[in-house]
Amino acid sequence: MRDAVQVRCQRHHEAATLPRVSQDGDVAADLFACEAIEVPARGRALVPTGIALELPEGFRARIHARSGLSWKHGIETGAGLIDQGFRDPIGVLLYNHTDAPYAVQLGDRIAQLCIERYSHPTFEEVEAIAPTGRSAGWGSSGR
């Protein structure tokens, strides 16, 4: 059985829909638009969900793009980290990578929400870090 975590949600808009996991085994819940808004061509828009979360201690939330929006419409999400202490209504930053505006309708599924455990690392300055077999630079895996 999977570990279940309870996340408290508050509606801040009458048209807000609580996050919802569509199918058993899905790792993310859908986030829904609580207002109709247009994402301009080659632009971005902040789409309100109308909900706020109360994440348990030791958890964060991450907002991810929906694969259908990415593939079919060129719509991606950005700035998707929600800290445990954030209590304001969630807005989803959508980027439109096409030459046509994209209309988000009330109730549209606009992103996915993952709830994740996290830890607070400590950082230690050292003279050198241990090498690995990976070569240096971005894209260095050769794929």
Side-chain angles (χ1 to χ4, degrees), residues 3-120:
D3 290 336
V5 61
Q6 183 73 37
V7 177
R8 294 167 47 104
C9 302
Q10 180 182 7
R11 292 177 205 258
H12 285 262
H13 192 284
E14 63 186 21
T17 301
L18 296 184
R20 184 170 49 230
V21 176
S22 295
Q23 301 178 44
D24 286 343
D26 287 355
V27 298
D30 290 322
L31 287 175
F32 301 85
C34 72
E35 295 177 14
I37 195 166
E38 184 175 277
V39 186
R42 301 285 172 196
R44 66 180 187 230
L46 189 62
V47 181
T49 66
I51 59 151
L53 304 177
E54 182 180 328
L55 297 167
E57 186 71 31
F59 286 85
R60 67 178 178 204
R62 293 194 51 94
I63 297 172
H64 296 275
R66 298 193 69 245
S67 58
L69 283 179
S70 295
W71 175 244
K72 296 174 187 174
H73 304 286
I75 302 295
E76 297 283 338
T77 62
L81 179 63
I82 301 171
D83 292 311
Q84 185 270 329
F86 183 75
R87 295 289 193 273
D88 291 332
I90 296 169
V92 176
L93 181 59
L94 292 182
Y95 288 93
N96 183 350
H97 297 289
T98 72
D99 293 325
Y102 180 79
V104 175
Q105 302 300 318
L106 170 69
D108 279 358
R109 294 178 297 165
I110 54 171
Q112 299 181 84
L113 179 73
C114 290
I115 307 299
E116 306 167 339
R117 292 185 189 275
Y118 70 89
S119 63
H120 287 259

Side-chain angles (χ1 to χ4, degrees), residues 121-139:
T122 59
F123 298 92
E124 174 188 3
E125 184 176 2
V126 296
E127 292 295 319
I129 58 175
T132 68
R134 186 177 176 143
S135 59
W138 292 98

